[in-house]
Amino acid sequence: MKQLFGIIAFGFLLFIPLILVSCQSSTQYPVDYEQLSEDQRIVIRFSHVVGEDTPKGMAARKFAQLVKERSEGYIEVQVFSNGTLYKDGEEMNALQRGDIQLIAPATSKLTNLIPEFAIYDLPYAFRNYEEVHAYANGEVGLTLTEKLNEHNLISVGIWDSGFKQLSNSIRPISHYSDLRGLRMRIMPSDVIEQQFVTVGANPKRIDFNTVFNQLQEGNVDGQENTLSNITSKKLHSLQSYLTISNHGYLGYFLLFNLEFWNKLPKDVQTLLTDTLQDVQQWQWQFAEEMNEEKLQDIENCSCIDVNYLSEEDITEWEKAYIPVYDYYRKNYSDKYVNALPKFSN
């Protein structure tokens, strides 16, 4: 009897490891991708030149956070704001080389590669955000973004900064003739340059990250930008007059390095594009609300004289800018101008 009990006990001891192995193989433990090295994860370096508290800066951080959550840490978006990694004039070359994987440059920054992108720089080309988005995602707009593929770039969305306003330290700008003789900082765009030359101003192409110093040192008299960018860099603190003109749209195309993008697995591409679509919808609303909030802040601070253009004023300004449209038609293409809402409706 004792011998039989010993045999049963020995058999049971042999069976315990089999039970443990079986239980262990059926248990699915979550993978902690954050513990993987950078070489084992997918790392996307996202460089931009504006502040973290701007619509672009906030959206970049939101995108990084959502991608981390949705990929369980397998995809990491590293955001470098304020030009800390690459300056205004450096990031495009860095992206094309593959040193970084994602940027969100202003539309005017694309004109060096594809001059027709200056369509977005035309004064009073769009009256609201909806018109911009419809144009960018329409047939003619998409033909522009597809041209980026020839430069090892792919567009995956568009984010708003807002509509541009004018500030300066010399005099109030109520009529376009008030711009005559003023040295105005602009982004690198032949069309924007023509916009200011047409009304007698002296445009100066200056990188965004140095605008504050240039204004402070008196090298330029004024500038144009969205209220979120103006306030984030405290440019209004150096200026005496602000004109709410809404004369031009400023937005950012989100660009991946095409070679990097094509090497990503399809499921990763889907995760990124789906997330970008979600962030884009949020960003559009946030940008509009933030610019309204910043205008109210400026009104309340009583730190700068604020002037508003009336509808009659805007009509007069539009007529003054007709030569800028003629310049675009002559140098680029009629089809991009003819597709604008003001001409196609």
Side-chain angles (χ1 to χ4, degrees):
M1 189 68 175
K2 288 183 179 180
Q3 186 177 8
L4 178 61
F5 179 79
I7 293 172
I8 293 173
F10 179 73
F12 181 72
L13 290 173
L14 288 176
F15 189 60
I16 288 176
L18 295 177
I19 295 174
L20 293 175
V21 169
S22 176
C23 292
Q24 199 171 32
S25 63
S26 64
T27 302
Q28 297 296 320
Y29 293 101
V31 178
D32 186 2
Y33 289 114
E34 292 190 62
Q35 300 305 313
L36 298 176
S37 70
E38 190 169 289
D39 291 337
Q40 294 172 302
R41 287 178 283 120
I42 294 176
V43 176
I44 298 169
R45 294 175 178 84
F46 185 174
S47 175
H48 69 82
V49 301
V50 300
E52 291 187 350
D53 58 346
T54 61
K56 178 162 65 171
M58 297 288 285
R61 287 192 291 169
K62 187 175 184 68
F63 173 59
Q65 177 187 350
L66 288 177
V67 167
K68 179 180 179 180
E69 293 172 358
R70 294 178 180 184
S71 69
E72 298 179 326
Y74 179 56
I75 308 170
E76 180 185 1
V77 179
Q78 299 174 350
V79 179
F80 301 88
S81 61
N82 280 306
T84 54
L85 193 58
Y86 290 100
K87 302 301 180 187
D88 211 4
E90 302 171 343
E91 60 177 13
M92 183 65 73
N93 289 335
L95 180 68
Q96 290 178 290
R97 291 194 307 266
D99 294 342
I100 49 179
Q101 291 71 47
L102 177 63
I103 64 174
T107 51
S108 66
K109 306 294 174 56
L110 302 177
T111 59
N112 286 334
L113 298 177
I114 304 166
E116 293 87 347
F117 261 100
I119 193 72
Y120 292 98
D121 293 333
L122 284 169
Y124 295 108
F126 307 98
R127 286 298 187 98
N128 54 56
Y129 297 103
E130 290 74 21
E131 287 186 353
V132 177
H133 303 156
Y135 186 90
N137 293 299
E139 181 180 353
V140 173
L142 291 174
T143 61
L144 266 180
T145 54
E146 288 169 2
K147 289 177 179 288
L148 291 165
N149 298 166
E150 302 167 13
H151 301 276
N152 195 30
L153 304 169
I154 183 171
S155 172
V156 290
I158 182 173
W159 288 353
D160 298 331
S161 177
F163 283 86
K164 294 184 287 185
Q165 322 301 341
L166 296 162
S167 74
N168 83 102
S169 57
I170 305 299
R171 55 178 173 264
I173 299 173
S174 300
H175 191 267
Y176 59 81
S177 61
D178 294 324
L179 284 161
R180 183 172 298 277
L182 295 183
R183 298 167 299 166
M184 300 292 290
R185 178 267 169 175
I186 65 168
M187 291 183 289
S189 166
D190 291 343
V191 163
I192 295 179
E193 183 170 327
Q194 285 298 313
Q195 168 192 316
F196 283 95
V197 168
T198 296
V199 294
N202 298 318
K204 307 288 184 182
R205 302 187 187 206
I206 297 172
D207 285 351
F208 180 64
N209 293 109
T210 65
V211 175
F212 186 92
N213 290 337
Q214 295 291 321
L215 289 170
Q216 192 173 46
E217 294 170 8
N219 295 328
V220 288
D221 302 313
Q223 57 84 49
E224 61 162 8
N225 219 313
T226 60
L227 292 174
S228 58
N229 281 342
I230 289 172
T231 54
S232 73
K233 294 295 186 182
K234 302 189 186 318
L235 303 182
H236 62 298
S237 68
L238 302 175
Q239 305 272 261
S240 301
Y241 307 100
L242 175 69
T243 298
I244 305 302
S245 53
N246 292 314
H247 63 275
Y249 169 77
L250 175 58
Y252 312 105
F253 278 95
L254 278 84
L255 306 180
F256 268 99
N257 174 284
L258 180 59
E259 185 177 0
F260 171 82
W261 179 263
N262 286 337
K263 289 180 180 178
L264 293 174
K266 292 299 181 183
D267 60 328
V268 171
Q269 290 181 354
T270 299
L271 185 149
L272 292 173
T273 52
D274 288 350
T275 303
L276 282 168
Q277 281 297 310
D278 293 341
V279 173
Q280 181 171 265
Q281 292 296 322
W282 174 87
Q283 197 274 342
W284 288 350
Q285 182 66 32
F286 180 77
E288 187 171 4
E289 292 174 354
M290 187 174 196
N291 279 290
E292 292 173 357
E293 177 187 317
K294 294 305 179 184
L295 177 57
Q296 192 61 54
D297 289 345
I298 288 175
E299 286 278 15
N300 294 339
C301 79
S302 299
C303 53
I304 186 171
D305 181 67
V306 183
N307 176 62
Y308 291 82
L309 294 186
S310 66
E311 284 299 318
E312 292 76 14
D313 293 330
I314 291 173
T315 299
E316 194 171 351
W317 283 55
E318 285 185 292
K319 290 178 181 177
Y321 285 136
I322 288 175
V324 186
Y325 284 77
D326 294 338
Y327 173 89
Y328 186 98
R329 290 179 186 274
K330 178 182 177 181
N331 288 278
Y332 310 128
S333 172
D334 278 348
K335 75 173 184 178
Y336 296 110
V337 175
N338 293 338
L340 288 172
K342 63 193 300 178
F343 298 116
S344 59
N345 291 340

